[in-house]
Amino acid sequence: MADALLELKGINFDHKISSPQILNPFKKLNILGIKNITLNLISGNIIGLVGPNGAGKTTLMKVLSGLLIPDNGDITINNKKIENKNRPNWTKELIGMMPENVHWYGPTTPYQVIKKILTIRDMDILYIEKILDQVGLTVKSHEALDTLSQGMHQRLSLACALIGNPKILLLDEPMNGLDPVAREAFTGLLKNLAKNGKAILISSHQLAELERMVDSVILMHEGEIIQEGDLSEIRNKYGIHHDLILKFPNEIKNLNKIFSKNKINNLKFEQKDMGDYFSININAPKKGWEMETKQQIIKLFLSNDLVPFDFTSPQVELVEILSAVTGLDVDKVGMSIQRGKIGSEEE
Amino acid sequence: MNAYFDSARLLYNLSKMEFKKNFFTMRMAVLLPILSLFIVGSSWGFSDKDANLPADVSANTPFEVLFLSSLFILFSATLGIVLVGFDGISRKRNSGLLAIEFCQPTSRTMLGASQLLGVWLTVAIPTIILSFISIILVYKQMDSWPSVSEILLYFLATSLVLFWYASIQLLVSSFAKDMGSAVTLGVGTWLLFTMIWLLITVVLATILGVDATNTTDVTFASFSSKMDLFSPNGLYQLLLEAKLENNSRILPAWQLSIATICWTFLPSSFFIWKFNKLDA
């Protein structure tokens, strides 16, 4: 296994929120940000950071990028332990951060933005065209930021993260505002970057869009990592699988007979009249779907001259996984906002 | 030595970029005519021999004219610094651009210093150029130049007061959480030193038993000059008054020097400290 480029061990961070009072105008409250975070970022891996709003994804990203200094815990970059009090420049050179929802404004152009970041990094401005080309912004490079779409703004944020060819990319909700074509291009770009050895941590609250591109996921809830690993492993572990749905133009009269004749007769199924068509919902096995089982089902219908016009298995939603992992009701998972340990005070 | 040179070069490049970004904006398009009218116009008017000035206002020498026009600099150029700098930090922070800058491998001190120099130069350069034009106009009207030391003091004091305001504006901007509080804090500090300071001086004088009803009184003049050490506008006036011939508000040079050093380094250092602590 490749060495971790960046390791976090037991990282905690509380937000210090101003809560002025008449007799104590400097009163601050500690609100839980992230708690006991341990993770490794490995070269060539794309890791999805998934969780509902307020789970601590952005806080974790900011701690990783050095924007926030953790209260305690160890950070190791390239096998060198980093002091919490500051983040040396050489560590920042390894990390490219794309913050969430950057509001690019004004008459400045993408070209000037990249030029400024290059100047801040004391790098040669010859790289501007190359960086803009990498994210597909060359055509818009001299147009005012005010006139660019949200998707273009996202590309510009990504371009800023790519400056300096960092080994670790931290992308906070990068798909926001991207159209499907841009998403596809973005996914391809990230896969390519990972192939070239970059470790990528990408956060999102939409599981489906991450599923196609990540090697593993980290599930966060209430500031903690509650599960990590391959998404299919997590699904199997908690038995979170969706039905297989086959759609037919006409009703299948001898469905019980067809299923009972085969080895897959232990699967539960149900035929529904949907008005224009009939759907057969086949419940997922406890261990999830295996490729062979699905093949058997298709073969079974085809051998009986029954050809479905559609064959789907809906995506598992984040909320379902969170519900399974936390043991909370689906309705309560998204609304559970008791994460702030409000009350611990700091002057 | 190379490291210092590299840092100075980086600071120069970043400040230049900030200056350009600030200078070519709508705000400056509004400000430049105001600066021109106030600075050049006041010098032209005060140096006109036919001008009817109040009895207690003396504009007999070129430097006295410059001193009077410095009041217009205090009003217009410091307001310019407020216009350019009041949201210098808060807007960047709210838009997320500050986070991107903070992620770069350059120290926050360097970024903060370049921001400060950028805001300062945006107003200081046109102000100094316009002041130079004023001096030429004064010569045209009075057929006499201010001395070199007077010109240098005038330029230095003007540059310093703008630097103090730039530091104060960026400092309060780094405390502001939104546009509303940025405007309130920015304009509020400007109003405090430009409009309200005299009121504070009079109230304090009354409380301490100094006769504030007669502003030409020597005791009050002494008291107000000491109070002015705590105001950038007041200190600017005191620095220029040091070269006036009929000056009743003379303070020891060491007091002026300490106040100048404090105003130059304390707000700017506090801003850099705050900038280093900012959550982006």
Side-chain angles (χ1 to χ4, degrees):
Chain A
M1 191 175 169
D3 280 344
L5 285 173
L6 189 147
E7 285 179 76
L8 298 188
K9 219 177 247 179
I11 294 288
N12 293 296
F13 179 83
D14 281 353
H15 294 283
K16 280 82 183 172
I17 307 294
S18 263
S19 175
Q21 294 187 342
I22 292 172
L23 294 176
N24 188 358
F26 301 107
K27 187 181 174 187
K28 286 189 175 176
L29 293 176
N30 282 359
I31 309 279
L32 177 67
I34 52 174
K35 188 177 161 191
N36 198 23
I37 299 290
T38 297
L39 70 87
N40 293 343
L41 293 183
I42 294 162
S43 176
N45 262 21
I46 305 180
I47 299 177
L49 187 61
V50 193
N53 292 333
K57 305 187 294 290
T58 298
T59 305
L60 176 56
M61 288 269 184
K62 286 186 172 180
V63 166
L64 284 166
S65 66
L67 285 174
L68 294 175
I69 304 299
D71 298 331
N72 48 48
D74 296 330
I75 298 178
T76 310
I77 296 180
N78 266 353
N79 296 320
K80 284 183 189 169
K81 201 170 162 184
I82 308 300
E83 287 297 321
N84 269 348
K85 285 178 184 170
N86 55 27
R87 188 63 62 90
N89 282 340
W90 67 265
T91 66
K92 286 191 176 177
E93 279 173 13
L94 289 172
I95 297 169
M97 166 80 166
M98 176 183 170
E100 183 186 6
N101 287 337
V102 177
H103 173 56
W104 296 103
Y105 62 87
T108 317
T109 64
Y111 186 92
Q112 289 167 323
V113 170
I114 301 299
K115 188 179 172 187
K116 182 173 184 187
I117 303 293
L118 286 170
T119 310
I120 289 175
R121 296 179 78 109
D122 210 7
M123 286 173 68
D124 201 321
I125 58 167
L126 291 171
Y127 294 107
I128 300 177
E129 298 291 352
K130 188 185 165 191
I131 291 160
L132 289 171
D133 185 48
Q134 216 172 349
V135 295
L137 264 179
T138 311
V139 181
K140 304 273 182 185
S141 62
H142 293 287
E143 290 185 20
L145 295 175
D146 282 340
T147 64
L148 299 182
S149 66
Q150 173 66 17
M152 294 297 164
H153 286 174
Q154 289 291 83
R155 288 174 191 222
L156 183 56
S157 301
L158 178 65
C160 291
L162 290 172
I163 292 173
N165 199 20
K167 288 187 175 174
I168 299 166
L169 272 178
L170 307 172
L171 312 175
D172 198 358
E173 307 276 3
M175 300 295 195
N176 284 357
L178 292 184
D179 59 48
V181 179
R183 278 172 194 234
E184 205 57 46
F186 194 84
T187 306
L189 174 63
L190 290 188
K191 282 184 175 172
N192 218 15
L193 290 168
K195 253 188 215 169
N196 292 331
K198 292 197 192 308
I200 300 173
L201 184 67
I202 175 167
S203 86
S204 178
H205 50 265
Q206 290 177 12
L207 205 54
E209 71 180 18
L210 282 185
E211 196 168 1
R212 289 178 304 126
M213 70 171 98
V214 299
D215 298 303
S216 61
V217 293
I218 292 172
L219 278 179
M220 286 194 78
H221 187 56
E222 298 185 352
E224 288 183 86
I225 293 177
I226 51 171
Q227 195 62 240
E228 60 181 304
D230 185 65
L231 199 54
S232 57
E233 283 172 17
I234 296 173
R235 280 205 199 105
N236 289 342
K237 188 176 173 184
Y238 292 95
I240 316 160
H241 302 288
H242 271 179
D243 296 352
L244 194 62
I245 302 169
L246 292 98
K247 293 176 184 172
F248 293 88
N250 302 309
E251 186 182 8
I252 299 169
K253 300 266 164 88
N254 53 347
L255 196 58
N256 286 330
K257 203 174 166 186
I258 292 169
F259 268 86
S260 63
K261 279 183 185 172
N262 288 276
K263 289 176 189 174
I264 51 172
N265 60 0
N266 53 346
L267 292 175
K268 289 181 180 173
F269 57 89
E270 185 187 4
Q271 186 164 208
K272 291 177 184 172
D273 185 354
M274 307 301 286
D276 295 342
Y277 63 92
F278 287 84
S279 84
I280 297 173
N281 291 20
I282 306 169
N283 289 3
K286 279 187 180 174
K287 288 183 179 177
W289 289 107
E290 285 174 5
M291 201 191 293
E292 287 172 359
T293 318
K294 284 186 177 178
Q295 280 179 323
Q296 278 179 4
I297 291 171
I298 295 172
K299 278 180 189 168
L300 177 66
F301 281 102
L302 293 178
S303 64
N304 285 283
D305 285 336
L306 297 166
V307 183
F309 68 85
D310 199 4
F311 181 84
T312 57
S313 183
Q315 299 282 358
V316 174
E317 296 296 331
L318 171 64
V319 70
E320 292 171 85
I321 294 183
L322 285 174
S323 168
V325 177
T326 58
L328 293 168
D329 285 347
V330 169
D331 294 342
K332 284 184 180 172
V333 168
M335 302 302 289
S336 59
I337 50 170
Q338 74 273 26
R339 58 193 299 264
K341 290 187 175 165
I342 299 171
S344 62
E345 295 172 11
E346 188 176 276
E347 297 299 311
Chain B
M1 193 64 193
N2 256 349
Y4 284 115
F5 178 75
D6 287 344
S7 297
R9 187 176 48 81
L10 182 58
L11 183 62
Y12 169 75
N13 286 335
L14 290 174
S15 307
K16 193 171 76 176
M17 207 166 253
E18 281 295 329
F19 166 76
K20 278 185 183 172
K21 191 196 85 186
N22 293 331
F23 195 80
F24 298 103
T25 55
M26 183 59 77
R27 296 181 195 191
M28 284 307 286
V30 172
L31 185 67
L32 283 174
I34 295 173
L35 283 179
S36 307
L37 285 171
F38 271 66
I39 299 171
V40 179
S42 62
S43 303
W44 177 261
F46 285 127
S47 58
D48 188 345
K49 283 170 188 165
D50 299 327
N52 287 321
L53 297 174
D56 57 340
V57 174
S58 164
N60 301 322
T61 66
F63 188 70
E64 281 178 348
V65 172
L66 291 182
F67 175 73
L68 290 175
S69 70
S70 74
L71 296 172
F72 290 81
I73 286 180
L74 269 186
F75 193 81
S76 59
T78 57
L79 184 64
I81 291 279
V82 176
L83 281 178
V84 174
F86 79 95
D87 60 350
I89 305 298
S90 55
R91 193 172 183 191
K92 263 189 181 180
R93 182 164 62 171
N94 294 336
S95 65
L97 302 184
L98 202 58
I100 288 181
E101 289 187 8
F102 280 177
C103 287
Q104 309 307 323
T106 299
S107 75
R108 289 192 182 192
T109 301
M110 177 69 76
L111 292 173
S114 64
Q115 183 92 16
L116 175 57
L117 290 178
V119 170
W120 172 54
L121 291 173
T122 305
V123 182
I125 289 176
T127 303
I128 294 298
I129 291 171
L130 291 168
S131 299
F132 190 75
I133 294 169
S134 301
I135 292 170
I136 296 170
L137 289 177
V138 170
Y139 171 75
K140 281 270 181 197
Q141 299 250 57
M142 301 179 87
D143 205 19
S144 165
W145 293 101
S147 69
V148 174
S149 63
E150 285 170 343
I151 292 173
L152 286 178
L153 176 68
Y154 185 65
F155 285 168
L156 179 69
T158 303
S159 304
L160 279 176
V161 75
L162 296 179
F163 184 75
W164 302 334
Y165 264 95
S167 306
I168 293 167
Q169 283 307 310
L170 290 181
L171 176 62
V172 296
S173 179
S174 59
F175 280 98
K177 302 276 183 203
D178 50 52
M179 185 58 88
S181 54
V183 172
T184 309
L185 288 169
V187 177
T189 48
W190 180 80
L191 279 175
L192 171 71
F193 294 123
T194 309
M195 307 276 182
I196 307 170
W197 196 254
L198 182 62
L199 184 68
I200 294 172
T201 304
V202 169
V203 169
L204 271 178
T206 310
I207 291 169
L208 295 171
V210 177
D211 182 13
T213 54
N214 181 8
T215 51
T216 55
D217 181 60
V218 180
T219 324
F220 180 76
S222 167
F223 179 80
S224 73
S225 62
K226 283 195 172 59
M227 277 294 289
D228 278 350
L229 290 174
F230 298 95
S231 152
N233 296 24
L235 183 58
Y236 175 54
Q237 292 289 290
L238 287 171
L239 287 173
L240 294 179
E241 281 173 21
K243 277 275 177 187
L244 289 178
E245 284 168 10
N246 303 316
N247 179 20
S248 60
R249 304 198 325 147
I250 293 176
L251 282 175
W254 68 269
Q255 286 185 12
L256 287 176
S257 305
I258 287 176
T260 305
I261 289 167
C262 286
W263 272 107
T264 305
F265 291 104
L266 288 184
S268 54
S269 304
F270 192 25
F271 161 64
I272 297 292
W273 173 83
K274 177 68 184 165
F275 195 73
N276 272 287
K277 296 270 173 197
L278 270 183
D279 281 344

